[in-house]
Amino acid sequence: MQETSNRVFENFENSFLEFKEAPDFTKRDKAAKLASQIDILSLTRDGLSYLYEKSGELDQAGIFFGTAWNEPDKLVPALVKGTLKAGHPSSSFELLSELRLLAYANGDQQSEVINAKEAQNFLEEVVVHNLEFALKEPAEETRTVMSERELKKAFNLFGFIISEIDLGGVYDKLAEEIRLICEQRPIVTRKARELIRLVDARFDTSGDREVDKSVRLYINAVYKPSQNSILHQTLEDYQDFLDNANLRTLSHEADSFGYYMHQTGLVSQYHPLLLKKLVKEHPELVPNCLDLNDRGKAEWEKFHELVSTLIIEIVSPDNCQCIYGLARMLGKNLFSRRPVRVGLENLRKIKLNPQVEKRIIKSLIHPDMDVTAQQYLLGGVIKMLGQPLGVGQGNNPTCQSARGLSMWSQHAPAKLIDMIITVATQNNLIMRFENHDLVSNQLGKGLVEKLDYNLDPVSVLLVPHLDKIYNEMMKRSAGRAEDPHKWVNPAMYGQWIQLSFASCYDYLTNSILDFEGFIRIFYAAFHPDFNGDREMSYPNPVGIFITSSKGDMVGFHAISLLRIAKDQNGKARAYFLNPNNEGRQDWGQGIKPAVFGFGEKHGESSLPIAQFAARIYAFHYSHLDVAHKVNQVPDSELKEVDNLAKSSWGKSYTWNNQQKIW
Amino acid sequence: MAKCFALMGWSLPVIESMEKLGKPYVVVSFPDFEPYAKENNIPFVSYQLNEWSDTSNSLDLFEKLQPYGVDVAVPLFEETVEWAGALNSIYRGDPRVLNRAFLFRNKAMMKRKALIGGLRVGLFEEVYNKEGVKAFMKRLNEANLQLDGEEDSWVHIKPFASAGTVGHRLLKSMKDIDEKCEDSDFPCLAESHLPGREFSCEAFINKGKVRFLNITEYVHLGYSNFIPEGHYLNSKRELIYKHVQKLVDIFGIEYGMVHPEWFLTENDELNFGETACRIPGGHILELASKSWGFDALAAFVLCHDPNITEEELDEIFPSKDYFPDNYNGNVMIYPQKRTFSKLEIPEELNNEPYFVDHTLVPPLSTQKISDNREGFGNHFGTINFKGEDPDRMTELLLHYEEVDFYV
């Protein structure tokens, strides 16, 4: 490796020399070659530092001459992301441009056209627009468009910028980001914790503004959930403190921990120590420590033996986040279901398959040495059962599997545990499709090329199998001149899925067929004003068009429609689960799903129903129930949807307005 | 030394070399390039090179070049070979220089000349339609004593005057003739398939002598080559040199560079394929410059000068006993799929010690490749390698030709 990189530097120097010696009219050609070396250098930290050192010289030598980056004072921060997404060579020039601005901002190098302050402001804006890169959590659209290598370059660049720049100007924005992420109560809290760590390390948060208070709430939740945790910072010290604390002090601690956890959905590493102490010595304080509601308290009373056993067995500083899942599980009376209790008991007794064990360990960053993979898995199960809407697909194209996990954990928790047990012991899974058993181990590749392990243990365990089975079902239903999801969804997710299926895409003519009729059915089936004010009982697997912030068609995505209800303003909204870890996205035309502020439960995204309808292409329903309601949907409701659809993703298709017999 | 070189055709790398060399030159090319030339202070005479009429001809162009003091014309592209020939006939007062230019532009005439001079060539013939090709293949089958049921003899057809592999078709059977030939292919040259290992060389000639010989190893024609030649061809350098000089003598070439293609058989016999006298494709002179440590483009131009001195010549070429330590090679990348949306550089390339740089560009959103591909055109960029071992180089070039950079 060492030798290789030396050679890369050498090649770069040679090309740079050639570039400098070239007359103006061949500089672009030489720059193209130089860019290919910048591309390689940007894959390592060493390389980036080297480019940083060279950036001023490259700029002065005219590397940007004749390109969009030539005038650094006229660059637009909002355009950076688009250029990075465009791939090499654009992304390589873009990256170099940021590096030179960083050098100017830090005063390491001087420019005649842009001063340090201006460069600093520019980069702050860029960071805010590109948090997905800074936090290594790319959005769905980004992941579709960028190759793995290009993502790595972008991650490296922003990692470098964040470590080298004064972030003062982006504080408010980061604080908002933390709040909105935590509002969604994700199971995997790595991104939230990373942001909180960043803000805590880099900013003065002691002020009196609302934003300071909000940030402090999250920082406290993770690092100092009580006065005593501040006084006893290491876990050893804190344990010592607990060993000597009296009941009154413990009660205070329990209240404080419970409060922060409930407010933020985040659990501190001190929490396991306190909880275990209380379980063993003061069980009456456990409800406070978990901030349980009345149902949760009753549940604790009734099942404290099993719950205590689980706490003692699985809760640990690195596995702390499952405490929040446990509190939510208790609050939902899940322990009152016998199959769930049996499942959890069974799960405690199994022997993990070694492959599965490896996968789980691979998903952990700093595993506690004395906690086994099995204990992490149990913790994962508790998290998933407690937070069904916190499931995310990670950096994987497995939205279908993620929404399945979420649905089972809400409506078939014991069935989910059973599947987990099968895979955990056998590393294999069987599902039936149209009278054929599909055995995941005997199937070819699914959609995942290489699993991104930034996932919860249950996903790490199940997703590879679900993905293969799902893909096999799709293959077997291909070529039927209709969307394969029609058959796959009910088979994959279970009897909760209604059997009628509407899709606006017509396979035979490759066009959008009778979109109005399609939306009419959607409204008749789900809009409370037109369906007899009925609520949805189960989630509905819906296919949506993903569009860019300009409204252009990007690809397809699977989500779960959870409910349609009126918000505080009396407007009908669609509430849905977007399994891609980030419910807030910009889908263009002003369509930006909210995660908060319109009566969303934690983890739900929401949109006004027309905006939501303008992005769907397929859903399930019951045609028996809808048949006589379809004609009652007024045209005016449909017009808005039609306009939004036609002027966005609709531009990528031909439209056929013929009426279809649904 | 020439007073001024007329560069026939637009090539930025050649202009760059001339600037670095500091010799007087003027570029002759289409009016489209004029604004760019002006902007960059490139001496330029705009001329409609694809037109031949009362107002567009060599005598007229000669007049236009007078103010620059041009006394040597240098053809950079296949299409400017006759223009350069016509001008040089005037400068050198020798009408045969123009005829010789025609020789390079007509592959049938070229073969005849080689045959008369005693070079080994395949059987060849001018054909005017599909029937002509079939008759040619039939005669070839007879000569090869074909029995019933045996495969047909392979026939190549090529346009008389196109660069490199443009319009070149290999016909392996009578059926192929019906399927692959189009009426627009005719008239053209049909020739028998030449056995042997194909390679090209670049011979820089001045005063009728080969001054410097570069041999290019074709790893896969149209995809990859490297310079200098690998061990095997190197062991035949003497033989190759002799044949090239013979070619130069037969054709009567005095100045410039020829770029002949040969087929070397196992019995050390060289079959002559064809030759050109302009800048070869595949970035060959660029690779030659890097490996041999000289400016091959500048040398290409200077060789055309009848008045250059021996000292000046010695100065531009690598010394006679020098042989490069490093091999420079490249592979041209074509997408393997019909539809693709991303450029993906494989991880292995980062860690490849031979890798130097590449010029690959991403596709335009989701790009589809059409079926028509001319010669070996339409590649998406080149990857350059450099290293000490020609065998490893061969391996690498073959490997990366298969790697899919566009997904």
Side-chain angles (χ1 to χ4, degrees):
Chain A
M1 274 306 280
Q2 191 54 38
E3 196 190 9
T4 310
S5 20
N6 281 342
R7 195 144 180 163
V8 173
F9 294 128
E10 213 174 275
N11 284 335
F12 177 86
E13 287 294 341
N14 286 337
S15 295
F16 191 22
L17 190 68
E18 258 184 58
F19 174 81
K20 281 191 278 196
E21 286 175 352
D24 284 351
F25 51 83
T26 53
K27 272 211 183 348
R28 290 319 318 147
D29 289 345
K30 317 266 167 182
K33 291 185 181 171
L34 208 47
S36 74
Q37 286 153 348
I38 290 171
D39 174 48
I40 288 199
L41 286 168
S42 61
L43 293 171
T44 61
R45 179 85 187 188
D46 274 8
L48 274 181
S49 309
Y50 180 80
L51 285 173
Y52 176 78
E53 300 291 329
K54 290 270 167 194
S55 61
E57 199 186 331
L58 280 158
D59 192 2
Q60 251 91 79
I63 183 94
F64 296 114
F65 186 74
T67 73
W69 298 272
N70 198 34
E71 298 170 275
D73 51 329
K74 298 209 173 90
L75 295 172
V76 182
L79 296 182
V80 169
K81 184 181 279 187
T83 325
L84 289 174
K85 283 184 187 171
H88 177 82
S90 299
S91 59
S92 303
F93 282 110
E94 184 62 63
L95 179 141
L96 183 67
S97 176
E98 262 69 73
L99 290 177
R100 75 171 157 170
L101 287 164
L102 186 60
Y104 298 148
N106 290 347
D108 287 340
Q109 285 164 52
Q110 264 75 38
S111 159
E112 285 165 17
V113 276
I114 187 166
N115 64 35
K117 184 77 196 126
E118 289 164 337
Q120 167 82 23
N121 288 343
F122 177 85
L123 285 174
E124 281 174 3
E125 279 280 308
V126 170
V127 169
V128 167
H129 280 109
N130 291 280
L131 283 175
E132 58 173 318
F133 295 134
L135 299 169
K136 300 190 170 65
E137 293 266 359
E140 185 66 23
E141 189 225 345
T142 309
R143 189 148 20 87
T144 321
V145 181
M146 291 176 79
S147 68
E148 215 172 283
R149 180 194 182 95
E150 289 297 323
L151 272 177
K152 191 171 170 189
K153 277 163 69 176
F155 291 165
N156 280 353
L157 171 66
F158 282 93
F160 190 78
I161 294 177
I162 285 194
S163 67
E164 298 282 326
I165 196 189
D166 168 19
L167 284 170
V170 298
Y171 174 58
D172 287 16
K173 175 76 192 173
L174 292 176
E176 176 73 358
E177 191 70 19
I178 292 172
R179 190 168 76 117
L180 289 178
I181 292 174
C182 290
E183 270 308 318
Q184 301 177 60
R185 297 290 193 269
I187 292 179
V188 177
T189 54
R190 207 174 280 172
K191 177 179 176 183
R193 285 171 193 268
E194 181 59 26
L195 259 180
I196 292 166
R197 190 192 59 74
L198 179 73
V199 170
D200 188 34
R202 303 288 293 274
F203 298 99
D204 173 15
T205 58
S206 62
D208 279 335
R209 295 187 303 145
E210 275 307 310
V211 55
D212 297 316
K213 285 181 198 158
S214 163
V215 163
R216 280 205 300 274
L217 174 72
Y218 294 102
I219 294 176
N220 289 347
V222 175
Y223 297 113
K224 28 198 162 181
S226 69
Q227 276 308 308
N228 286 302
S229 64
I230 301 172
L231 296 173
H232 310 278
Q233 280 202 359
T234 68
L235 292 178
E236 289 78 18
D237 284 354
Y238 188 73
Q239 186 64 55
D240 282 348
F241 150 77
L242 285 180
D243 291 344
N244 302 309
N246 60 28
L247 187 61
R248 216 179 112 93
T249 315
L250 288 174
S251 170
H252 274 301
E253 290 295 296
D255 287 343
S256 186
F257 279 32
Y259 168 79
Y260 280 114
M261 180 174 83
H262 185 81
Q263 290 296 316
T264 63
L266 297 170
V267 185
S268 79
Q269 297 209 326
Y270 307 105
H271 213 135
L273 307 185
L274 176 66
L275 184 59
K276 280 184 172 171
K277 161 104 179 164
L278 298 181
V279 164
K280 285 180 199 154
E281 296 171 24
H282 303 284
E284 71 279 12
L285 287 178
V286 168
N288 303 42
C289 187
L290 297 177
D291 195 36
L292 294 179
N293 58 16
D294 288 344
R295 283 193 293 169
K297 281 175 194 157
E299 193 86 345
W300 163 251
E301 289 296 328
K302 199 162 172 199
F303 301 107
H304 68 264
E305 259 179 64
L306 171 60
V307 177
S308 300
T309 312
L310 287 174
I311 290 174
I312 299 298
E313 272 185 15
I314 64 176
V315 166
S316 77
D318 185 55
N319 204 6
C320 61
Q321 192 58 35
C322 69
I323 296 174
Y324 180 65
L326 181 67
R328 297 269 302 260
M329 254 185 98
L330 287 164
K332 293 196 289 184
N333 300 104
L334 276 179
F335 286 95
S336 293
R337 301 194 190 192
R338 183 184 159 274
V340 171
R341 292 198 305 277
V342 172
L344 290 173
E345 290 278 15
N346 288 344
L347 194 53
R348 285 177 54 219
K349 294 174 201 152
I350 60 166
K351 184 171 171 354
L352 277 192
N353 172 294
Q355 296 290 333
V356 168
E357 192 169 354
K358 257 192 225 157
R359 283 218 298 278
I360 293 174
I361 290 170
K362 203 172 164 188
S363 73
L364 307 168
I365 294 183
H366 306 292
D368 282 327
M369 293 328 262
D370 50 348
V371 183
T372 64
Q374 188 159 357
Q375 286 160 336
Y376 273 108
L377 176 60
L378 258 163
V381 171
I382 288 172
K383 282 189 276 192
M384 181 146 306
L385 294 181
Q387 302 167 258
L389 300 182
V391 179
Q393 68 197 79
N395 196 1
N396 298 300
T398 50
C399 37
Q400 280 93 356
S401 305
R403 72 178 173 184
L405 293 176
S406 173
M407 205 202 68
W408 293 317
S409 87
Q410 287 171 79
H411 297 288
K415 161 90 187 146
L416 176 63
I417 299 176
D418 260 1
M419 277 164 68
I420 292 168
I421 290 177
T422 305
V423 176
T425 51
Q426 309 305 324
N427 194 24
N428 197 357
L429 184 67
I430 301 177
M431 282 177 121
R432 177 159 287 195
F433 184 63
E434 299 179 344
N435 279 332
H436 291 280
D437 283 348
L438 305 184
V439 184
S440 70
N441 272 357
Q442 294 167 7
L443 299 175
K445 255 203 311 205
L447 299 175
V448 178
E449 291 277 338
K450 215 169 113 198
L451 191 71
D452 168 33
Y453 278 83
N454 188 5
L455 287 175
D456 66 278
V458 174
S459 296
V460 162
L461 179 96
L462 283 180
V463 165
H465 297 274
L466 293 174
D467 180 44
K468 282 204 252 178
I469 289 174
Y470 166 81
N471 206 36
E472 178 66 22
M473 289 183 180
M474 287 297 280
K475 269 198 265 175
R476 288 181 182 225
S477 338
R480 296 181 184 177
E482 275 193 73
D483 189 336
H485 289 100
K486 174 175 176 174
W487 300 277
V488 173
N489 284 337
M492 178 91 189
Y493 301 130
Q495 75 269 29
W496 301 277
I497 309 304
Q498 289 174 319
L499 293 179
S500 307
F501 180 80
S503 166
C504 62
Y505 175 73
D506 185 56
Y507 272 67
L508 292 176
T509 58
N510 183 26
S511 62
I512 301 300
L513 180 59
D514 192 12
F515 188 67
E516 192 191 309
F518 170 74
I519 295 299
R520 211 172 260 289
I521 294 174
F522 184 72
Y523 273 58
F526 304 111
H527 196 302
D529 289 351
F530 310 116
N531 75 350
D533 199 19
R534 292 196 201 169
E535 285 185 41
M536 293 171 61
S537 353
Y538 295 109
N540 191 329
V542 170
I544 62 167
F545 294 108
I546 285 282
T547 47
S548 69
S549 56
K550 289 190 206 115
D552 295 331
M553 169 81 186
V554 177
F556 307 99
H557 188 42
I559 59 157
S560 262
L561 177 63
L562 301 171
R563 59 195 178 99
I564 308 257
K566 302 261 172 97
D567 63 15
Q568 68 269 35
N569 309 317
K571 284 214 169 132
R573 289 182 83 85
Y575 296 84
F576 57 98
L577 170 83
N578 187 345
N580 73 351
N581 328 311
E582 183 45 87
R584 304 159 296 147
Q585 290 182 346
D586 188 348
W587 292 349
Q589 299 178 313
I591 303 182
K592 292 182 184 176
V595 294
F596 158 77
F598 295 95
E600 295 87 352
K601 292 179 190 158
H602 294 306
E604 281 182 340
S605 305
S606 82
L607 277 177
I609 186 164
Q611 296 190 352
F612 180 78
R615 288 294 180 269
I616 60 177
Y617 71 85
F619 58 86
H620 288 264
Y621 69 107
S622 157
H623 74 271
L624 294 178
D625 291 331
V626 165
H628 59 285
K629 295 178 188 145
V630 173
N631 292 326
Q632 292 160 24
V633 183
D635 291 348
S636 55
E637 292 280 339
L638 307 173
K639 202 79 208 136
E640 185 187 355
V641 181
D642 199 57
N643 286 341
L644 285 171
K646 274 201 179 112
S647 51
S648 58
W649 57 264
K651 285 189 284 189
S652 305
Y653 292 94
T654 34
W655 286 61
N656 184 345
N657 291 333
Q658 229 177 350
Q659 281 209 351
K660 176 175 167 180
I661 298 162
W662 292 90
Chain B
M1 175 60 81
K3 289 202 275 296
C4 180
F5 293 93
L7 305 180
M8 306 301 295
W10 180 264
S11 162
L12 284 176
V14 176
I15 300 171
E16 176 180 354
S17 287
M18 292 309 285
E19 287 285 336
K20 285 184 180 160
L21 206 59
K23 303 280 186 209
Y25 71 94
V26 57
V27 177
V28 182
S29 191
F30 292 100
D32 293 357
F33 294 105
E34 192 163 14
Y36 187 90
K38 225 174 221 162
E39 202 179 300
N40 289 283
N41 294 322
I42 297 167
F44 188 82
V45 168
S46 135
Y47 214 74
Q48 208 64 48
L49 292 171
N50 57 352
E51 208 180 291
W52 194 78
S53 66
D54 284 355
T55 51
S56 180
N57 57 61
S58 55
L59 293 174
D60 177 69
L61 180 55
F62 172 79
E63 293 295 328
K64 288 215 160 65
L65 292 174
Q66 286 282 41
Y68 294 86
V70 172
D71 51 359
V72 177
V74 182
L76 302 188
F77 300 107
E78 191 69 29
E79 292 75 10
T80 59
V81 167
E82 292 104 323
W83 284 103
L87 288 171
N88 284 331
S89 290
I90 303 173
Y91 297 137
R92 307 224 294 259
D94 177 2
R96 228 185 281 280
V97 174
L98 173 60
N99 289 359
R100 195 165 294 119
F102 290 142
L103 187 60
F104 285 107
R105 293 284 286 152
N106 183 325
K107 286 181 186 169
M109 185 173 152
M110 181 194 298
K111 292 253 162 175
R112 254 190 299 278
K113 184 79 178 161
L115 187 63
I116 296 168
L119 288 175
R120 287 173 56 104
V121 297
L123 183 65
F124 65 94
E125 206 166 286
E126 281 128 308
V127 287
Y128 298 91
N129 49 40
K130 284 187 189 182
E131 269 46 55
V133 188
K134 284 182 183 165
F136 180 78
M137 187 179 270
K138 199 168 158 225
R139 284 197 290 277
L140 203 56
N141 284 339
E142 282 168 5
N144 285 332
L145 311 181
Q146 185 195 38
L147 295 176
D148 264 356
E150 277 185 346
E151 284 178 13
D152 292 321
S153 304
W154 292 4
V155 171
H156 296 256
I157 61 166
K158 303 171 180 173
F160 293 126
S162 286
T165 43
V166 176
H168 180 160
R169 297 181 205 278
L170 168 59
L171 308 168
K172 294 184 176 177
S173 64
M174 291 289 176
K175 199 166 133 250
D176 263 8
I177 300 177
D178 282 326
E179 285 170 4
K180 292 188 185 167
C181 291
E182 286 159 28
D183 289 343
S184 57
D185 290 343
F186 301 101
C188 64
L189 175 77
E191 63 177 325
S192 60
H193 180 71
L194 290 169
R197 173 179 178 149
E198 190 177 8
F199 66 93
S200 83
C201 45
E202 288 69 39
F204 295 76
I205 301 151
N206 196 271
K207 301 198 174 66
K209 288 228 157 49
V210 175
R211 299 294 170 143
F212 174 73
L213 179 68
N214 171 65
I215 300 175
T216 302
E217 182 108 17
Y218 285 175
V219 175
H220 185 175
L221 180 64
Y223 286 90
S224 49
N225 26 186
F226 67 81
I227 290 174
E229 70 279 15
H231 299 312
Y232 182 74
L233 279 181
N234 186 244
S235 69
K236 312 290 176 197
R237 194 168 239 278
E238 200 61 28
L239 177 78
I240 295 167
Y241 193 94
K242 271 189 198 144
H243 274 77
V244 174
Q245 184 62 56
K246 190 169 172 186
L247 171 76
V248 170
D249 294 342
I250 294 168
F251 279 35
I253 304 161
E254 288 176 288
Y255 303 102
M257 192 200 83
V258 287
H259 163 62
E261 275 165 346
W262 303 89
F263 298 82
L264 175 64
T265 69
E266 284 165 11
N267 310 323
D268 283 357
E269 281 164 339
L270 277 174
N271 287 308
F272 170 68
E274 60 182 69
T275 184
C277 64
R278 34 91 200 165
I279 294 178
H283 309 281
I284 283 179
L285 290 191
E286 193 183 310
L287 295 178
S289 301
K290 283 192 173 154
S291 286
W292 291 96
F294 78 123
D295 187 340
L297 288 169
F300 170 82
V301 174
L302 293 184
C303 272
H304 287 79
D305 179 7
N307 297 318
I308 195 167
T309 64
E310 287 298 316
E311 292 74 35
E312 283 170 319
L313 274 176
D314 287 343
E315 226 171 84
I316 48 171
F317 289 116
S319 66
K320 299 229 160 39
D321 46 2
Y322 175 75
F323 194 79
D325 302 325
N326 274 309
Y327 294 81
N328 279 276
N330 66 23
V331 51
M332 276 157 261
I333 300 299
Y334 303 90
Q336 320 249 348
K337 298 190 182 78
R338 283 255 174 265
T339 353
F340 42 84
S341 56
K342 285 183 215 175
L343 163 66
E344 256 183 25
I345 311 282
E347 210 57 25
E348 52 176 335
L349 194 61
N350 307 341
N351 303 323
E352 173 50 57
Y354 276 30
F355 172 78
V356 180
D357 57 25
H358 71 75
T359 58
L360 297 171
V361 289
L364 309 159
S365 64
T366 297
Q367 194 161 348
K368 289 193 176 88
I369 293 284
S370 62
D371 286 326
N372 28 23
R373 180 174 152 199
E374 273 298 308
F376 285 104
N378 305 343
H379 68 87
F380 272 58
T382 310
I383 306 181
N384 292 308
F385 294 96
K386 179 177 142 186
E388 301 82 19
D389 177 5
D391 298 328
R392 171 75 185 139
M393 179 67 83
T394 307
E395 222 173 80
L396 271 178
L397 295 180
L398 284 175
H399 171 67
Y400 280 101
E401 187 190 307
E402 297 292 326
V403 172
D404 208 349
F405 286 81
Y406 291 91
V407 294

